Amino acid sequence: MIKIERVYDVKLNYEQGKSDPFIVFSAYAEIVQSFSKIDNLLGKSLNFTTICKLTLEDVLSGSIISKIKAWLECKENSLTADTVPEKEDFQNYVDESAGIFIDTLNRETVESRDQIKALQTNLDNVAKKTKISNIITYTAPPLKSILNVANDFSKSVMKLSDTESVSYQCKSNAIPIKKNISVAFDKIQEEFAEKTLITEGEMLLKIKKPDLLGNTLWLFKHDRPIQAHIEDSEWLKEFLDAEIPLFSGDSLLAHVKIIQKYDIDDNLLKQEYFITKVNKKITGEHNG
């Protein structure tokens, strides 16, 4: 078993007497979890079996400063290569790559697949510099995974108020983290789509939550909960005009169009449901 460890500080500054403690600690917990996701992303690039564990090493005085140790563990016999890098190379790869990841999000609004690809290339260059790319099991972090981690990271820091700030320090590298990190997740995910499949058919959907405003998604239960747009304008108008009463347990027998989008590796990126025609409302049994 190979264990790679790296120690870093996550510092949260707050304004005494003004910051809401619940919001501060909730946001701080999500930020620490976001760092764990970055570590896990990099660990998986070494070997898909790699697991990431965090331990709290110390809490330092001054604001809220947590000294965190990230353990990346993978099976040693899975790292076969012509030249197996030293443990120091592993640590340098993770440390430097994490810094590049955070610095990239700080520096630019992420709104295109090309930017995610450029970040992937930068991480891959670090792997080559530290000889990590020599490992047979090494693969550059997948674009979709990079996007997911970047999106989660942006959401966590955005929860901080104007009176709070957060920074990251590893070794001598200290990075103040912007609170307005922007990741255009939906737009970039659309750019990842390489294949689109459209299927249509009749479905019986039990209503869980209707759209009473006419501009949001309905929630139904089929074999699992699904959200759907209703495009049958005539039926929708009658419902909004209170001409079609709905009660708990009611279902819709409807013609449904399902749009599925896949990436280049045939992984499902997005699935949307559109009710093009409501054929019949079926009253729940308990309603008589």
Side-chain angles (χ1 to χ4, degrees):
M1 179 79 71
I2 284 187
K3 292 185 178 181
I4 307 154
E5 66 176 68
R6 74 188 200 92
V7 178
Y8 54 89
D9 295 345
V10 180
K11 179 179 180 181
L12 177 66
N13 295 310
Y14 62 93
E15 189 169 348
Q16 189 174 4
K18 289 189 176 181
S19 294
D20 183 320
F22 177 79
I23 294 175
V24 167
F25 283 106
S26 295
Y28 191 56
E30 289 194 26
I31 291 167
V32 171
Q33 186 178 43
S34 293
F35 278 104
S36 173
K37 291 178 181 179
I38 293 174
D39 291 329
N40 192 57
L41 174 75
L42 298 171
K44 295 293 185 186
S45 70
L46 302 174
N47 186 286
F48 74 94
T49 64
T50 303
I51 58 174
C52 176
K53 300 177 181 178
L54 297 186
T55 59
L56 182 62
E57 296 298 296
D58 198 1
V59 178
L60 308 179
S61 60
S63 303
I64 302 173
I65 308 175
S66 298
K67 185 172 292 292
I68 296 168
K69 180 180 287 184
W71 295 86
L72 297 170
E73 298 181 356
C74 55
K75 296 177 181 178
E76 189 167 5
N77 59 8
S78 67
L79 299 178
T80 306
D82 294 335
T83 304
V84 178
E86 300 292 331
K87 285 190 178 182
E88 185 178 353
D89 291 323
F90 286 112
Q91 184 174 333
N92 289 338
Y93 164 68
V94 180
D95 286 346
E96 188 173 340
S97 295
I100 288 174
F101 195 100
I102 297 163
D103 190 53
T104 298
L105 296 183
N106 264 343
R107 194 175 61 249
E108 58 191 37
T109 297
V110 181
E111 55 188 357
S112 72
R113 172 177 174 159
D114 288 343
Q115 289 171 288
I116 298 295
K117 179 65 178 174
L119 178 52
Q120 181 193 54
T121 299
N122 289 336
L123 300 179
D124 195 43
N125 287 338
V126 177
K128 292 174 182 176
K129 183 178 72 173
T130 54
K131 301 179 182 178
I132 296 301
S133 59
N134 290 343
I135 304 170
I136 290 176
T137 55
Y138 168 80
T139 56
L143 294 176
K144 185 64 168 59
S145 297
I146 293 175
L147 174 61
N148 287 337
V149 174
N151 188 53
D152 289 345
F153 193 88
S154 70
K155 287 180 178 179
S156 68
V157 295
M158 286 172 62
K159 293 189 176 182
L160 296 174
S161 71
D162 293 338
T163 61
E164 294 123 28
S165 63
V166 68
S167 61
Y168 159 81
Q169 180 165 352
C170 182
K171 297 180 179 177
S172 60
N173 188 22
I175 307 176
I177 299 171
K178 288 171 55 178
K179 287 180 286 189
N180 59 341
I181 291 173
S182 179
V183 178
F185 180 81
D186 290 338
K187 177 180 179 294
I188 300 172
Q189 187 168 248
E190 289 287 338
E191 293 180 18
F192 282 157
E194 298 283 344
K195 183 190 301 180
T196 300
L197 297 181
I198 299 176
T199 56
E200 297 189 50
E202 197 170 56
M203 297 175 66
L204 182 61
L205 304 171
K206 178 171 285 190
I207 301 168
K208 300 295 291 182
K209 183 180 179 182
D211 167 25
L212 301 177
L213 301 176
N215 58 2
T216 59
L217 294 169
W218 287 58
L219 179 63
F220 298 95
K221 183 178 181 182
H222 193 238
D223 56 337
R224 58 182 178 80
I226 65 171
Q227 291 182 307
H229 304 266
I230 294 186
E231 297 183 329
D232 188 337
S233 57
E234 182 178 343
W235 185 92
L236 201 55
K237 182 178 184 305
E238 291 180 2
F239 166 71
L240 294 174
D241 290 343
E243 296 176 18
I244 302 176
L246 293 178
F247 301 95
S248 175
D250 288 352
S251 300
L252 296 182
L253 182 64
H255 189 83
V256 181
K257 177 171 65 176
I258 304 172
I259 299 178
Q260 297 171 310
K261 296 188 177 182
Y262 296 84
D263 64 15
I264 194 169
D265 297 316
D266 293 331
N267 297 311
L268 181 64
L269 294 174
K270 190 175 184 180
Q271 183 166 265
E272 294 181 289
Y273 294 82
F274 299 87
I275 296 175
T276 57
K277 178 68 176 176
V278 178
N279 297 324
K280 185 179 180 181
K281 183 199 83 170
I282 297 178
T283 303
E285 290 182 5
H286 62 284
N287 289 326

